Amino acid sequence: MTFIWTAYTLTIKYTRSSVEPEQMYSATTVVFCAEVLKLIITFAMFYKECNFNNAQFLEKVNQYFLNAPKELAKMSVPSFAYALQNNLDFVGLSNLDAGVYQVTTQLKVVSTALFMMLFLGRKFSARRWMAICLLMFGVAFVQMNNAPAAESKQSGEKAENYIIGLSAVLATCVTAGFAGVWFEKMLKDGGSTPFWIRNMQMYSCGVISASIACLVDYSRISEKGFFFGYTDKVYAVVILLGVGGLYISLVMRYLDNLYKSMASAVSIILVVVLSMLIFPDVFVGMYFVLGTMFVVLAVLLYNSVNE
């Protein structure tokens, strides 16, 4: 999963920086296509789990998906929370420096741990709390590595509303932790509903959320076309986003949300290292070295406890 998200981040960066703004594809259509892809793959995986038996497949889909509106409503909660998170991301990035934004979003590691205690009844040892704190500080140091360059680029530009941006980012941390833990709870404590049916419920709601986002961007999409600006690399973004989302659900089924956070932290470090080779103006200093040490130590410390 770490390598998938690293490739996804770098591909996004390349596709968003290599073309002029008027030739840019719509991000809302990419998210919509990715959600549709997740739903298709989920149906295919469940069909395989049913040993390609049409009668068994249709019976379970009818029982657990079509005739289970309450369960579908439960899965709509994390789906729409993720949609809210995506919108808050735009607000935060519109009003904060990118370095400040990325540092502040690492608070989602703490919010995830707190929601796991509330919803899943998890208890963490002092060693694991130390690992969580080390992870948060480590990723923050890595992102602070690029803060000086970001500040120099901001000089002379229009002032941003810091309070609005900071409020949006803090709300993002809460919604990210809440949605992830709710989804994990439904996967692990959702009764007899099969795993892939849970994913069907999640991604069908995701398609609805993405459709609403496309309606917000309707004027631009209707003017230029749904697939305007798409290249092979943009299609790669769709595939990576779709496959990455499925990997996250597998991680939350067999491990937990904090392992996902650890993987995200390692991915951020890989992104910075590979960005040095791909993109200009990427600086690595002592903050990066110190942050890398913190993240590696956090991963080792978290996994050293058998809980």
Side-chain angles (χ1 to χ4, degrees):
M1 190 183 78
T2 298
F3 295 104
I4 289 176
W5 283 113
T6 299
Y8 167 74
T9 303
L10 291 174
T11 309
I12 280 282
K13 171 66 176 177
Y14 180 83
T15 57
R16 302 299 283 187
S17 61
S18 60
V19 298
E20 296 297 327
E22 58 272 12
Q23 298 297 320
M24 187 68 64
Y25 61 90
S26 171
T28 56
T29 63
V30 169
V31 174
F32 175 82
C33 292
E35 292 299 320
V36 171
L37 177 62
K38 293 175 192 176
L39 192 58
I40 292 173
I41 295 176
T42 300
F43 269 95
M45 293 301 296
F46 187 62
Y47 186 55
K48 178 178 180 296
E49 191 175 90
C50 294
N51 298 316
F52 304 103
N53 185 311
N54 291 336
Q56 183 182 1
F57 173 77
L58 293 174
E59 178 185 355
K60 290 188 175 182
V61 168
N62 187 63
Q63 177 183 356
Y64 293 109
F65 184 68
L66 298 178
N67 292 328
K70 290 184 178 179
E71 296 300 310
L72 184 62
K74 291 179 183 178
M75 291 305 294
S76 69
V77 174
S79 178
F80 286 106
Y82 280 130
L84 175 60
Q85 175 192 339
N86 291 334
N87 286 283
L88 289 171
D89 283 339
F90 285 105
V91 177
L93 285 168
S94 298
N95 292 280
L96 287 178
D97 170 77
V100 175
Y101 167 80
Q102 290 181 343
V103 169
T104 310
T105 54
Q106 302 317 310
L107 291 173
K108 65 185 177 183
V109 176
V110 179
S111 68
T112 297
L114 294 175
F115 279 119
M116 289 177 72
M117 294 174 63
L118 290 174
F119 293 152
L120 303 179
R122 290 289 301 274
K123 294 182 179 179
F124 300 103
S125 64
R127 189 182 299 181
R128 282 203 162 174
W129 275 114
M130 187 181 299
I132 292 169
C133 293
L134 281 175
L135 173 69
M136 182 178 64
F137 285 118
V139 177
F141 278 132
V142 168
Q143 295 305 322
M144 286 172 63
N145 176 79
N146 292 325
E151 291 174 0
S152 64
K153 291 179 182 178
Q154 287 290 336
S155 60
E157 294 183 3
K158 183 179 179 180
E160 299 159 334
N161 193 319
Y162 182 81
I163 300 299
I164 293 178
L166 184 60
S167 300
V169 173
L170 293 176
T172 296
C173 295
V174 175
T175 55
F178 170 77
V181 173
W182 184 290
F183 187 33
E184 180 180 344
K185 178 178 175 61
M186 295 302 297
L187 287 178
K188 294 181 177 179
D189 303 325
S192 59
T193 304
F195 169 72
W196 291 112
I197 292 289
R198 282 294 181 205
N199 280 275
M200 287 181 195
Q201 295 168 339
M202 176 73 172
Y203 299 134
S204 59
C205 294
V207 170
I208 296 174
S209 302
S211 300
I212 295 173
C214 288
L215 290 176
V216 174
D217 201 22
Y218 176 76
S219 58
R220 183 177 184 274
I221 295 174
S222 61
E223 177 185 351
K224 295 188 175 182
F226 191 88
F227 293 104
F228 175 80
Y230 274 51
T231 63
D232 54 346
K233 295 179 179 61
V234 178
Y235 286 112
V237 171
V238 173
I239 294 173
L240 290 168
L241 181 57
V243 175
L246 292 171
Y247 265 95
I248 286 178
S249 65
L250 288 170
V251 168
M252 289 190 288
R253 180 189 187 187
Y254 295 108
L255 297 172
D256 62 39
N257 263 280
L258 287 178
Y259 279 99
K260 182 188 73 174
S261 298
M262 297 289 177
S264 299
V266 176
S267 176
I268 291 174
I269 294 174
L270 288 176
V271 166
V272 174
V273 172
L274 294 175
S275 293
M276 294 174 59
L277 305 175
I278 301 174
F279 306 109
D281 302 325
V282 177
F283 171 73
V284 171
M286 285 303 300
Y287 278 128
F288 177 78
V289 176
L290 184 61
T292 301
M293 294 173 59
F294 273 36
V295 170
V296 172
L297 180 60
V299 173
L300 295 175
L301 188 62
Y302 188 86
N303 292 324
S304 68
V305 182
N306 185 19
E307 294 184 357

